[in-house]
Amino acid sequence: MTRLLIIGPPGSGKGTQAEHLARHFGIPGVSTGEIFRSNVSRQTELGNEAAKYLDDGDFVPDRLTNALVQDRLLAADVQAGFLLDGYPRTAPQVVELDNMLASKGHGIDAVIELRVPDSELEQRMLRRAQDEGRRDDTVDVFRRRLDLYHRETHEVVSVYAGRGLLVPVNGSGDPGGITKMAIAAVERFIDEKGERA
Ligand code: ADP
């Protein structure tokens, strides 16, 4: 039973690492960004409402985001564990997630923070823009997302650090090597926590 979060700035490779980590730990990955993008492309009601925020690099309003996560975390496949990617992104979302989990007596086991210097992020994003064509991968929108990350999501990292749950991982270098380091760091962290308990 493993409940993990992954946090990292835009362009940090968070989505890619999340997929590999989820597979390794045998848990479903839940990416709020992916869910929003899929709704936008299917033009669902949620997608139509969320599209302008995604296109501008802004946070989707909490009313929509919290409801989406709440709903997703009720599904059968995530009861035995999950890797949440992209949520919580603000301090109020941390409280929301706490409440969703507490109602079932669940908690988070570890929070992976992927660290990549700002100087590397924009170049990576531009490369990804050519490969994947994400609509929010333009220089202006990317800077907005990075700015929001520093202003809002750093606080989320501090909250989990204060709870002793943070597992920092160096996100520079070859993706396969980063995955191996992240797996090792999480396993070590969970083992040590088990020994202390
Ligand atoms: P990145 O981390 O590269 O910005 P994501 O795929 O995690 O990419 O998120 C893409 C977009 O989805 C965000 O810019 C935002 O508009 C929306 N989004 C995802 N998660 C959240 C969240 N927890 N709260 C608000 N908006 C979100």
Side-chain angles (χ1 to χ4, degrees):
M1 203 115 69
T2 319
R3 296 188 185 86
L4 302 174
L5 306 183
I6 184 163
I7 303 181
S12 62
K14 174 171 65 79
T16 307
Q17 294 302 330
E19 269 178 43
H20 291 295
L21 291 169
R23 197 171 314 128
H24 174 84
F25 288 102
I27 50 182
V30 174
S31 156
T32 47
E34 281 292 323
I35 298 174
F36 283 132
R37 280 189 290 279
S38 137
N39 276 275
V40 171
S41 65
R42 286 181 287 120
Q43 299 189 333
T44 65
E45 201 177 316
L46 172 69
N48 293 339
E49 231 184 311
K52 64 175 182 301
Y53 300 99
L54 268 85
D55 285 350
D56 291 345
D58 282 328
F59 289 153
V60 176
D62 275 357
R63 170 179 57 84
L64 297 174
T65 308
N66 292 334
L68 171 114
V69 176
Q70 173 123 43
D71 190 56
R72 182 66 186 86
L73 291 188
L74 286 174
D77 67 318
V78 293
Q79 297 317 306
F82 55 78
L83 171 64
L84 197 48
D85 158 6
Y87 185 94
R89 245 175 165 89
T90 62
Q93 289 184 0
V94 174
V95 177
E96 288 288 328
L97 179 63
D98 284 343
N99 292 337
M100 290 176 211
L101 296 175
S103 65
K104 295 188 196 139
H106 294 167
I108 295 296
D109 297 300
V111 178
I112 302 149
E113 184 206 358
L114 214 50
R115 293 190 176 164
V116 179
D118 279 9
S119 55
E120 251 184 77
L121 294 170
E122 190 168 306
Q123 296 194 342
R124 288 197 192 184
M125 177 281 300
L126 289 171
R127 222 176 303 138
R128 177 172 76 186
Q130 292 180 337
D131 296 343
E132 294 180 18
R134 256 174 66 164
R135 293 196 326 195
D136 57 351
D137 278 347
T138 63
V139 171
D140 285 349
V141 173
F142 177 81
R143 288 189 181 147
R144 168 89 187 128
R145 283 153 59 209
L146 186 56
D147 177 53
L148 271 178
Y149 183 81
H150 287 306
R151 278 197 288 136
E152 303 280 347
T153 310
H154 261 327
E155 197 181 342
V156 174
V157 172
S158 310
V159 170
Y160 288 117
R163 295 183 188 178
L165 289 176
L166 201 67
V167 180
V169 173
N170 178 353
S172 292
D174 128 74
I178 297 168
T179 305
K180 283 197 189 114
M181 283 201 317
I183 290 171
V186 170
E187 288 182 340
R188 199 178 328 118
F189 179 83
I190 290 178
D191 282 352
E192 286 171 2
K193 213 160 74 161
E195 283 162 19
R196 281 196 303 271

